[in-house]
Amino acid sequence: MNIAVTFLPRREPTPLPPIAFIGGGNMATAILGGLLKQDVAAATFEVVEPSADARLRLQSELRIAAHPEPGSALERCEVVVWAVKPQSFEEAARATASFTRDALHLSIAAGIPSDSIAGWLGTDRVVRAMPNTPALVGEGMTGLFARSSIADGERELVSRVLEATGELLWLDTEELLDAVTALSGSGPAYVFYFIEAMVEAGVAMGLSADDAQQLAIGTFRGAAALAGDSKDSPQELRQKVTSKGGTTHAALLSMEADAVKQHFMKAIEAARQRAAGLAAEYGQARG
Ligand SMILES: NC(=O)c1ccc[n+]([C@@H]2O[C@H](COP(=O)([O-])OP(=O)(O)OC[C@H]3O[C@@H](n4cnc5c(N)ncnc54)[C@H](OP(=O)(O)O)[C@@H]3O)[C@@H](O)[C@H]2O)c1
């Protein structure tokens, strides 16, 4: 029997255009690290970073050009990623705007509204994203919002930049980014907090700290994988492992008596309010 085999030409991904990062700290390094792992050339990037130590790290470990202040090196960049703290954003934007007039801007700063960013930079081409720190290991969760002037091709470009860090979720309204900040942006810290509590409980019950940590982290990893894979809702999964009168039931009854869920929800709402507060504090032009 003759089998006809057709070899399709291998499609190389379109290379990314030149990208500037304003701020070369933790999140910038996570995104850059993810992109470099996907074989994006280091020469694609220009980073502006005032800290000499951070610049040295970027140059020696990632082979990326890092500058102490914005300058003409940024003029070739078609995308600018804003990875500065919210309180530094306005100053950094005003210093950078004249070098990045034609670029697409992607902000990962918590709380700063796109109206403020558009005003500071003198352009409407602004996308906001809220990543989280598991981006450092390629397992991030990022919520995104694009202003109405952003074309589909520009969304795709932003997706290609951030996909290097993990999963993406596009939102239709900017206000929801505060909820994303409270849920997944700050969320890894909640998980670490619960891991800490499980480890402390394990040690109190006689396990070694290392063993308790392995059990706690393995349990979070496995439960998250199961919840992600299963057709059952988290509530159904919980009910399936909670037989009446059993050990899990005893723990959940204790949590309910202490209103753990309500207190946890209250904590997440506090984070959302803080995100909204950041906009009020740092989002308005100071003239
Ligand atoms: N870390 C998270 O979990 C997380 C999650 C979601 C979103 N974000 C957002 O990501 C942004 C960056 O956070 P991060 O954790 O990466 O902070 P970070 O590690 O402090 O990085 C920010 C960097 O920006 C530099 N910088 C300060 N002023 C600058 C300027 N005018 N121009 C250029 N660079 C400047 C800082 O240098 P100096 O240290 O010398 O000031 C610092 O190295 C924040 O807006 C945050 O809201 C963070």
Side-chain angles (χ1 to χ4, degrees), residues 73-170:
L74 302 185
E75 284 168 353
R76 73 183 183 103
C77 295
E78 292 177 32
V79 179
V80 180
V81 180
W82 291 87
V84 288
K85 292 281 187 204
Q87 53 271 37
S88 313
F89 204 133
E90 182 180 0
E91 194 191 328
R94 294 198 187 283
T96 308
S98 64
F99 303 104
T100 58
R101 291 243 173 269
D102 300 323
L104 170 65
H105 294 271
L106 168 60
S107 164
I108 62 165
I112 306 292
S114 70
D115 275 349
S116 305
I117 300 169
W120 295 333
L121 294 170
T123 174
D124 226 22
R125 295 175 67 210
V126 177
V127 174
R128 279 184 64 195
M130 179 44 56
N132 65 11
T133 51
L136 284 164
V137 291
E139 295 276 352
M141 183 69 240
T142 298
L144 296 122
F145 168 78
R147 281 170 79 81
S148 54
S149 57
I150 298 294
D152 287 350
E154 292 177 316
R155 273 179 186 243
E156 270 168 43
L157 178 54
V158 167
S159 293
R160 279 173 52 216
V161 173
L162 289 182
E163 263 162 15
T165 63
E167 210 177 314
L168 308 183
L169 177 74
W170 285 92

Side-chain angles (χ1 to χ4, degrees), residues 21-29 48-52 54 57 67-70 82-89 91-93 95-96 107-112 129-133 181 184-186 188 278:
F21 279 74
I22 312 301
N26 294 318
M27 287 311 293
T29 308
V48 178
E49 169 54 59
S51 150
R57 239 186 350 262
H67 315 273
E69 58 205 30
W82 291 87
V84 288
K85 292 281 187 204
Q87 53 271 37
S88 313
F89 204 133
E91 194 191 328
T96 308
S107 164
I108 62 165
I112 306 292
M130 179 44 56
N132 65 11
T133 51
T181 306
S184 54
S186 302
L278 284 175

Side-chain angles (χ1 to χ4, degrees), residues 229-285:
D229 265 9
S230 174
K231 287 195 188 66
D232 293 338
S233 68
Q235 189 187 8
E236 285 163 337
L237 288 171
R238 173 172 59 75
Q239 281 161 351
K240 277 186 183 173
V241 292
T242 312
S243 44
K244 215 166 172 202
T247 56
T248 313
H249 191 222
L252 290 171
L253 277 181
S254 169
M255 285 195 225
E256 267 170 32
D258 289 337
V260 172
K261 190 197 257 184
Q262 286 79 355
H263 284 110
F264 185 35
M265 287 169 65
K266 192 172 153 203
I268 296 175
E269 172 57 20
R272 192 196 64 78
Q273 283 177 17
R274 180 61 191 136
L278 284 175
E281 249 175 89
Y282 304 117
Q284 306 306 318

